[in-house]
Amino acid sequence: MSNIKRIAVLTSGGDAPGMNAAIRAVVRTSVYHDLHVYGVMRGYDGLINGDIRRLEARDVANIIQRGGTILKTARSNRFETTEGRKTAYDNLVANDIDGLVVIGGNGTYAGGLQFMQEYDIPVVGLPGTIDNDLYGTDYSIGFDTAINTAIEAVDKIRDTADSHNRIFFIEVMGRHSGFIALHTGIGSGAGAIFLPEREMNVEDLSESLRKSAKRQKLFNLVIVAEGNKSGETNEIARQIKIMNPEFDVKVTIIGHLQRGGFPTAMDRVLASRMGHSAVQALMRGESGTAIGLINDKITFTPFHDAIHKRKALNEELIRMAEILAM
Ligand code: F6P
């Protein structure tokens, strides 16, 4: 066991639904173990600004159901500088903080890794990103909510697409990975999915659209991952229209809607388990560890692997999506 007495928690990078549930779990597990716990405002920027406040169990009441993050978040450029990290460390020392829980994505882990390598401070990470692109966990906090939001949006678009016999290209988030697109595509019964992980030919799509139109089965929903390799969604749609002037083509970009809203039950439970485990990991003396969940078991992956190893999409799911879109 370590001698940790005071830990701080922050959220960094893009917010994700369920971050509040994770903060609540970190705070309450710490209080349960008689640790003092502090919230850092606006991610690593708050560490540099010394915007650090004590949190008690009651301070995290009534937040498990809320999207966003009560601690606010930021993508900090200053923390990438030597001076920024030095000031951040001085602020931790000034508050006698001896352990840090960081909740976020790849950049958050990278910042945490560099910080703990330079200074004598244990850091444990929780995967908080809608993209689900972090190695070392089946699911990240926020992913389930984001795909449910996206699927709900696509269901609504389907009604109007179907009524008008229009083809909709619907762009979803995910940065460089296609988890949101693949799951949204499968869950909404889309006719095709453009993924960053797969080359997809616009001519081939055009051909399939023509074939299906001939069969009187115009498949009208195409999900496009923002990071796909064929180009911007508007451009793909434009090319399809040029190849098939008779088609009525529309584009919808779901955008930041995917980042907000009440976290689903799955995200709340996931975040609670992970937040609870992060405190226990710090108490055991772990550092540089990303908490994950694989096959329903909590796992611990070195930051280095979580940052540098690529989490692959499930090829079987990709193949299945193609078959089911017939
Ligand atoms: O990482 C989460 C995410 O929503 C990505 O899917 C997206 O590419 C990016 O953040 C958008 O970032 P911002 O909110 O800073 O525009």
Side-chain angles (χ1 to χ4, degrees), residues 14 75 129-131 173-175 180 226 256 259:
R75 303 188 201 276
T129 166
I130 63 164
D131 301 337
M173 282 186 166
R175 206 178 285 270
I180 296 180
E226 63 176 349
H256 286 80
R259 285 253 291 273

Side-chain angles (χ1 to χ4, degrees), residues 78-109:
R78 285 190 293 157
F79 198 69
E80 288 172 15
T81 66
T82 313
E83 308 79 64
R85 290 191 298 278
K86 166 83 174 67
T87 310
Y89 182 67
D90 290 344
N91 284 328
L92 284 183
V93 171
N95 286 280
D96 281 332
I97 288 164
D98 42 24
L100 186 59
V101 177
V102 297
I103 309 173
N106 208 285
T108 305
Y109 286 2

